[in-house]
Amino acid sequence: ERLGSRSLLINKGLLNFMPSMTLWWFLLSVCNMAAPPSLNLLGEISLLNSIVSWSWLTMISLSFLSFFSAAYTLYLYAYSQHGKIFSGVYSFSGGNIREYFLLFLHWFPLNLLILKSEVCLFWI
């Protein structure tokens, strides 16, 4: 939004442009890869458990899709945050409170709901 483009060539090197947003981009990328603190991990485990009883072949293909999705997310993070910054961007930007609050409101429910589901599974 800040650079006005979705092109990865232009958005490369954002670690130098907005270092504080790199942490949020990493946290959201980790949640997308179904890392342990996120709700996506519980969803993928439940999905794989239900697929096992249906078809082993589908489970293997779903595992490959999950792996390649995580690999692409890691590639997207590394490509957009590292590298030489686009020559059209010269300034450092700290970000607005609105942007940080919006990112927090996207990240927090992903990690809060997993705690609620673990408590529910514990009592069952």
Side-chain angles (χ1 to χ4, degrees):
E1 176 182 331
R2 192 159 301 233
L3 296 178
S5 175
R6 286 185 176 182
S7 173
L8 281 177
L9 183 64
I10 293 174
N11 290 326
K12 188 165 59 168
L14 289 177
L15 178 64
N16 299 326
F17 180 63
M18 292 183 74
S20 56
M21 286 293 181
T22 301
L23 172 68
W24 287 106
W25 184 247
F26 177 73
L27 290 174
L28 291 171
S29 294
V30 165
C31 288
N32 188 37
M33 289 189 294
S38 72
L39 186 63
N40 290 348
L41 177 68
L42 181 68
E44 285 194 16
I45 289 172
S46 300
L47 182 65
L48 286 173
N49 281 338
S50 64
I51 291 294
V52 166
S53 63
W54 188 59
S55 170
W56 280 92
L57 185 63
T58 307
M59 186 200 73
I60 292 170
S61 64
L62 188 64
S63 298
F64 278 120
L65 283 173
S66 178
F67 172 74
F68 287 123
S69 172
Y72 178 71
T73 301
L74 188 60
Y75 169 75
L76 182 67
Y77 171 78
Y79 193 79
S80 66
Q81 299 302 314
H82 302 289
K84 189 173 181 181
I85 195 163
F86 179 62
S87 62
V89 180
Y90 292 110
S91 65
F92 171 79
S93 178
N96 299 330
I97 297 295
R98 176 188 62 88
E99 294 170 337
Y100 293 118
F101 189 61
L102 179 71
L103 289 169
F104 177 75
L105 289 177
H106 276 88
W107 176 79
F108 187 68
L110 284 174
N111 295 311
L112 181 69
L113 291 174
I114 188 72
L115 294 175
K116 183 176 178 358
S117 63
E118 286 175 358
V119 169
C120 291
L121 290 174
F122 177 73
W123 289 105
I124 290 178

